[in-house]
């Protein structure tokens, strides 16, 4: 398995803000495409989101509500930004900047990779035992494992990680940090310059 290079929290946050603004201030689908491209290792996530996006587009087109499609794009983009922060950010850099106040954030970011690993393990065991994709057989071990993870994270937050943290603040950007900044700026500029040709959304009172 390819080892994922980690990025600094400070510069990743810059990327998150610029991409979020790109999606919020324009009707462009580019922010979603950029985040999906960065999640290429999570093929199941990408596939599910592509299906959700296509299904939403078809249904809204059928009911002549295509002006609402941009909200699907934005929701998926925001969700992907959380996935990307969980996937690429070096958690130590969170603590280096926020100290002990960053512990809840680290716990929140760590939850998605753990959840993804648990689901993969449960699916692998189900195939090995020839259970198949039966919800009744998969739901119980999934719930048990998720409760266990929640308990472990709670203990880590309240006992193991809480306290004064003295980390070394290093704002020297890595090549991945610079790539994130460049992608964020390009995404913002292109999103504003080339929006989707969707009907305008109006709130009626």
């Amino acid at each position: 398995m390819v080892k994922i290079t980690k990025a600094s929290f400070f510069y990743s946050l810059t990327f998150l803000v610029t991409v979020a603004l790109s999606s919020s201030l324009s009707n462009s689908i580019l922010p979603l495409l950029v985040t999906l491209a960065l999640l290429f290792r999570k093929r199941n996530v990408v596939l599910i989101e592509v299906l959700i996006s296509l299904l939403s587009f078809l249904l809204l087109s059928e009911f002549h509500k295509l002006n609402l499609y941009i909200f699907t794009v934005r929701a998926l983009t925001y969700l992907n930004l959380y996935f990307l922060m969980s996937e690429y950010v070096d958690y130590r850099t969170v603590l280096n900047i926020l100290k002990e106040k960053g512990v809840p954030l680290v716990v929140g970011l760590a939850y998605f990779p753990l959840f993804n690993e648990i689901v993969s393990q449960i699916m692998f065991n189900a195939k090995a035992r020839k259970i198949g994709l039966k919800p009744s057989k998969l739901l119980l071990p999934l719930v048990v494992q998720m409760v266990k993870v929640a308990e472990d994270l709670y203990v880590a937050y309240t006992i193991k990680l809480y306290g004064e943290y003295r980390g070394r603040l290093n704002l020297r950007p890595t090549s991945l940090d610079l790539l994130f900044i460049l992608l964020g700026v390009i995404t913002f500029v292109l999103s504003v310059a080339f929006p989707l040709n969707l009907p305008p959304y109006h709130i009626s009172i």
Side-chain angles (χ1 to χ4, degrees), residues 136-149:
S136 59
K137 299 289 185 180
L138 299 177
L139 186 60
L140 181 59
L142 178 61
V143 171
V144 171
Q145 289 296 326
M146 293 311 300
V147 170
K148 183 178 182 299
V149 169

Side-chain angles (χ1 to χ4, degrees), residues 16-35:
L16 183 148
V17 171
T18 53
V19 174
L21 286 175
S22 302
S23 184
S24 301
L25 300 179
S26 72
N27 284 347
S28 177
I29 199 173
L30 183 61
L32 177 60
L33 296 179
V34 169
T35 55

